[in-house]
């Protein structure tokens, strides 16, 4: 093992996930958006992309709320016209059964994360937080289109 390999091994997504000692609830884990010109009706708005209304966000001119439900629904329909998979989650947690017979999730059931689309990292080696795989604490797979992957 080379000297640089230790740094890569210590920064692997699974080791980072294992270091997380405090569980987070879904409310504190949710990202808040900071949209300025999109009115929170584009896919790069974290709230809109996850299918949720903006709540306690730092956005300006927000239309992703109950008051503008008609405009929001229109934006959702236009987005789905262009991309039918737009609102599907990028990372899916799958429950797999530890037994070979495939009967329901029992005592041997485990949860694995799977990436739907894959990352597209170019220079980070998939070791930075903006890599979708690294952020979800999963390894890159064949679907990923990353260059010089170290994950």
């Amino acid at each position: 093992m080379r000297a640089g390999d230790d740094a890569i091994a210590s920064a692997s997504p699974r080791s980072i996930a294992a270091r997380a000692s405090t569980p987070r609830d879904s409310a504190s884990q949710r990202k808040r958006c900071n949209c300025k010109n999109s009115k929170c009706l584009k896919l790069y708005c974290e709230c809109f992309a996850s299918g949720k209304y903006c709540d306690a966000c730092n956005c300006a001119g927000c239309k992703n709320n109950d008051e503008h439900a008609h405009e929001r629904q229109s934006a959702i329909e236009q987005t789905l016209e262009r991309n039918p998979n737009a609102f599907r989650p990028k990372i899916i947690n799958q429950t797999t059964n530890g037994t070979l017979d495939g009967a329901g999730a029992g005592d041997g059931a485990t949860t694995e994360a799977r990436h739907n689309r894959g990352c597209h990292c170019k220079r980070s080696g998939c070791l930075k937080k903006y890599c979708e795989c690294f952020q979800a604490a999963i390894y890159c797979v064949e679907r990923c289109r990353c260059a010089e992957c170290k994950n």
Side-chain angles (χ1 to χ4, degrees):
M1 187 185 291
R2 295 181 309 218
D5 291 351
D6 289 340
I8 293 169
S10 66
S12 74
R14 293 191 189 193
S15 65
I16 289 172
R19 283 186 233 151
S21 58
T22 57
R24 297 181 193 168
D25 62 345
S26 60
S28 66
Q29 194 174 16
R30 186 172 157 246
K31 294 182 179 179
R32 309 257 190 270
C33 70
N34 296 305
C35 304
K36 298 202 180 350
N37 297 321
S38 69
K39 299 174 184 156
C40 299
L41 296 177
K42 302 285 182 184
L43 279 177
Y44 45 80
C45 172
E46 295 282 338
C47 305
F48 183 74
S50 65
K52 296 184 171 88
Y53 289 120
C54 289
D55 181 35
C57 295
N58 299 324
C59 44
C62 181
K63 293 193 176 183
N64 186 21
N65 51 35
D66 283 331
E67 297 170 11
H68 299 96
H70 181 69
E71 292 177 59
R72 180 180 187 269
Q73 187 60 37
S74 174
I76 289 171
E77 289 170 4
Q78 288 176 0
T79 303
L80 287 173
E81 258 180 41
R82 289 188 299 261
N83 181 5
N85 298 324
F87 294 100
R88 287 183 54 205
K90 293 178 182 179
I91 309 292
I92 294 178
N93 289 327
Q94 287 184 323
T95 303
T96 57
N97 194 340
T99 61
L100 295 175
D101 63 355
D107 294 337
T110 60
T111 303
E112 291 181 358
R114 190 190 90 197
H115 205 290
N116 265 343
R117 300 177 195 155
C119 66
H120 302 88
C121 302
K122 289 184 174 47
R123 287 176 276 183
S124 71
C126 300
L127 294 176
K128 303 286 183 183
K129 286 186 180 176
Y130 50 81
C131 173
E132 297 164 1
C133 299
F134 185 83
Q135 202 171 37
I138 60 174
Y139 290 117
C140 290
V141 293
E142 293 174 4
R143 285 187 197 101
C144 295
R145 290 184 262 167
C146 44
E148 299 179 22
C149 181
K150 295 175 184 162
N151 180 8

